[in-house]
Amino acid sequence: MAEVVIVDAPETAGALVADEIVRRARQNPETVLGLATGSTPLPVYRALSARRAEVDLSRLRGFALDEYVGLDPAHPESYRSVIEREVVVPLGLDAGRIRVPDGHPARIRDAGEAYEGAIRDAGGVDLQILGIGTDGHIGFNEPGSSFASLTRVKTLTAQTRRDNARFFAVGEEVPRHCITQGLGTILRAGHLVLLAFGEAKAAAVAAAVEGPLTAWVPASAIQLHPRATVIVDEAAARDLRGATYYREAWAHKPDWQGI
Ligand code: PGA
C-alpha cells in the first residue's frame, strides 16, 4: 500500500516534497516532474522556490497532468497559465521544458497521443505530484476511468465543475471537457506523491488508500503502484483506519530514507 504521512500543516508537506525534489535535482538536474495544478500542490512549489539558491532547478523537465479543452491558453485559469504563474516563473524553470496537454479543439483528436509520446521521449516521469478531487479523481480522471487509460479527453463531473467554479469569475462557465493524463499514464511514473489537505478530502483519501480498488474511486489506482506516498494533514486524515500505524511507521522511519 501507499506510505501515508500525516503532517500538522500543508507547509510541512510542501517542505517534505521539496526536499525530495531537491535531492533528485542534485542527482539528476534533468529530473522529470509530473505537475499537478489546483490549490493543493502550491505549498510544494512555494517551498521549492524558497530553495532556489541551493540547487539549480532550471534544467528540470515537467509534464502537467491536465488541461481544460477549449479554454484560451491565455486565460488566467488555463493550466498552461497556472503552471507558468505558479511553477515556471517562481522556480526559474526553462518554460520550453515544461509541457501542458494541448486543449485546442482543432488539435484535440491527436493531442493525447502526442502527449504520451512526449512523456515517453523524456524517459518517463520520475516524480508525479498529485492532488485528489472530492470525488476521488486524480488528474481529471473522473469516477469510472479505466486503470489502463492514457492521456485523453474526459467530461468533467458536475461535482468537479462546482469545486472548480471558485477559480472562475462569476457567470463564467467552467469548461465541461478536459484532456488528462490517464490512470495508466500516472501509474508509469517512478514515484507518486499524493497530497490532500482539509476535511473535504477526508472521505476521498480514505477510499483511495484503504478502500477497494475500483474505477469508481480513480485515486485507488495508487494502490497498484510500488512507490506511492500520500501526505495529508490531520483533517484529511480524519477517516483513515490505519492512522495510528501510519504515525508510528513515520516516527520510526530512518531520516536518510526521506519520503
Ligand atoms: P484542489 O484540486 O487541489 O484545488 O483541491 C484537487 C484536484 O481536483 O485534483
Side-chain angles (χ1 to χ4, degrees):
M1 68 171 293
E3 172 177 43
V4 180
V5 184
I6 303 171
V7 295
D8 56 344
E11 291 68 32
T12 312
L16 278 175
V17 183
D19 272 349
E20 174 61 15
I21 296 172
V22 166
R23 190 190 66 76
R24 283 178 179 266
R26 284 200 179 110
Q27 258 174 18
N28 173 15
E30 303 218 340
T31 290
V32 181
L33 298 177
L35 301 164
T37 44
S39 46
T40 304
L42 297 180
V44 174
Y45 304 141
R46 293 200 177 123
L48 205 49
S49 86
R51 301 186 61 178
R52 272 178 69 183
E54 275 173 61
V55 59
D56 176 20
L57 301 172
S58 66
R59 286 160 65 203
L60 290 176
R61 294 171 296 165
F63 289 88
L65 276 171
D66 42 23
E67 177 60 289
Y68 293 110
V69 171
L71 189 64
D72 185 342
H75 188 289
E77 291 308 322
S78 78
Y79 287 162
R80 159 59 64 200
S81 299
V82 172
I83 289 283
E84 178 78 17
R85 187 169 67 237
E86 305 289 358
V87 186
V88 171
V89 172
L91 300 190
L93 306 185
D94 174 349
R97 291 169 177 260
I98 310 298
R99 280 190 69 141
V100 179
D102 183 357
H104 195 289
R107 294 184 294 272
I108 202 68
R109 282 168 68 108
D110 300 320
E113 216 172 291
Y115 207 61
E116 291 291 327
I119 295 174
R120 241 187 344 262
D121 291 348
V125 169
D126 297 308
L127 184 143
Q128 174 66 60
I129 301 165
L130 297 166
I132 183 171
T134 56
D135 66 358
H137 71 214
I138 47 176
F140 269 145
N141 294 281
E142 297 288 31
S145 292
S146 161
F147 285 163
S149 52
L150 300 178
T151 306
R152 72 220 182 283
V153 172
K154 286 293 286 181
T155 304
L156 297 173
T157 61
Q159 190 172 330
T160 297
R161 293 179 71 231
R162 268 196 307 274
D163 286 348
N164 286 9
R166 70 188 195 279
F167 294 117
F168 290 84
V170 178
E172 201 178 9
E173 273 272 289
V174 179
R176 217 168 257 287
H177 295 105
C178 64
I179 174 166
T180 180
Q181 287 191 34
L183 296 175
T185 318
I186 291 168
L187 288 174
R188 288 177 187 163
H191 183 185
L192 305 183
V193 179
L194 186 148
L195 304 163
F197 310 122
E199 210 174 352
K201 302 290 174 73
V205 166
V209 175
E210 297 175 340
L213 198 61
T214 167
W216 205 246
V217 181
S220 67
I222 66 168
Q223 295 179 39
L224 293 169
H225 198 283
R227 188 158 182 221
T229 307
V230 173
I231 311 180
V232 290
D233 66 1
E234 297 284 346
R238 185 197 63 196
D239 296 348
L240 289 170
R241 281 172 293 184
T244 305
Y245 171 69
Y246 308 143
R247 286 199 177 90
E248 194 178 316
W250 178 250
H252 295 95
K253 189 172 177 178
D255 281 347
W256 58 264
Q257 277 186 340
I259 56 169

